[in-house]
Amino acid sequence: MRRRHHFHIDHAGHSVSATVETGHRVDVELLVDGKETGHGTTRGDRPVALHVELPTEPVTPVTVRVTPGPGVPRCVLVAPGADPLVMSPRPY
């Protein structure tokens, strides 16, 4: 059975959101400031990393690491020069 999980964080003045749809195949959709900027898939509990850019001046590359399981998925934002930041789960 597929289930959707939502995560969010504000970083460098920008909104970063992730939707993780779990099941046999895991789909991840990543939005920056409400616009889809990344998409990835994986199987089972295998982690996936999505690389996107924040529209700062100059552009800031970030990575969102998604661990679908076991259990509840987890999303972490990794930005250069900063500690990894856990993205907060959000009800949808």
Side-chain angles (χ1 to χ4, degrees):
M1 184 166 145
R2 295 184 66 80
R3 186 160 178 218
R4 296 183 98 179
H5 303 268
H6 303 278
F7 301 87
H8 181 82
I9 195 166
D10 289 318
H11 183 74
H14 296 279
S15 169
V16 180
S17 300
T19 300
V20 180
E21 191 169 351
T22 58
H24 290 293
R25 187 181 93 191
V26 177
D27 292 315
V28 180
E29 179 184 67
L30 195 60
L31 290 90
V32 174
D33 295 335
K35 297 178 184 174
E36 185 175 345
T37 56
H39 186 270
T41 60
T42 188
R43 292 204 170 274
D45 292 334
R46 293 187 190 132
V48 63
L50 299 174
H51 306 282
V52 296
E53 296 177 338
L54 298 181
T56 56
E57 193 58 47
V59 173
T60 304
V62 297
T63 301
V64 175
R65 290 188 303 207
V66 179
T67 306
V72 178
R74 182 176 173 198
C75 292
V76 176
L77 178 88
V78 181
D83 290 333
L85 303 168
V86 176
M87 296 175 67
S88 300
R90 296 287 170 107
Y92 187 68

